[in-house]
């Protein structure tokens, strides 16, 4: 199992719009084979900061997701203040 965290910073004042866009993306991502979750969190301290938590069965599912995101994430450019800080994790039993 592969877990991913992505911290995203919205353009100032655009946090709620970024949440809405990410929720639309999440609705599609959870349909992907091998996806176990795609959860959108908004910071309680800073509405322009989001945390996305994702889980995939394996590397193949993650690669398929990355290809899918190329078409899904195109509308985010005006909403993001910079590149997301993405970290990958392996589930340890």
């Amino acid at each position: 199992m592969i877990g991913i965290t992505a911290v995203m910073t919205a353009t100032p004042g655009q946090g709620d719009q970024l949440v809405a866009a990410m929720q639309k993306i999440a609705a599609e991502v959870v349909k992907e084979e091998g996806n176990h979750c795609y959860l959108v969190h908004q910071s309680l301290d800073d509405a322009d900061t989001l945390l996305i938590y994702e889980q995939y069965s394996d590397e193949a599912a993650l690669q398929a997701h990355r290809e899918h995101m190329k078409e899904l994430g195109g509308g985010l450019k005006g909403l993001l203040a910079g590149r997301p800080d993405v970290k990958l994790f392996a589930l340890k039993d």
Side-chain angles (χ1 to χ4, degrees):
M1 182 85 64
I2 298 170
I4 300 175
T5 61
V7 176
M8 308 171 86
T9 303
T11 302
Q14 298 294 308
D16 290 339
Q17 291 83 352
L18 183 57
V19 167
M22 294 308 299
Q23 287 173 327
K24 286 180 184 176
I25 288 172
E28 296 303 315
V29 171
V30 296
K31 298 174 188 175
E32 296 172 358
E33 185 173 338
N35 174 272
H36 294 271
C37 70
Y38 192 96
L39 304 171
V40 179
H41 303 76
Q42 188 173 29
S43 172
L44 296 174
D45 298 322
D46 176 7
D48 290 335
T49 301
L50 277 63
L51 168 72
I52 310 301
Y53 179 73
E54 316 168 44
Q55 279 189 326
Y56 299 90
S57 296
D58 53 29
E59 187 66 31
L62 177 57
Q63 290 305 320
H65 166 69
R66 287 178 172 159
E67 288 301 313
H68 192 207
M69 279 302 291
K70 288 178 183 177
E71 65 185 70
L72 292 176
L76 298 178
K77 290 182 183 177
L79 295 175
L80 291 172
R83 294 183 59 82
D85 179 16
V86 178
K87 298 198 180 345
L88 279 71
F89 300 86
L91 179 64
K92 298 299 180 181
D93 297 326

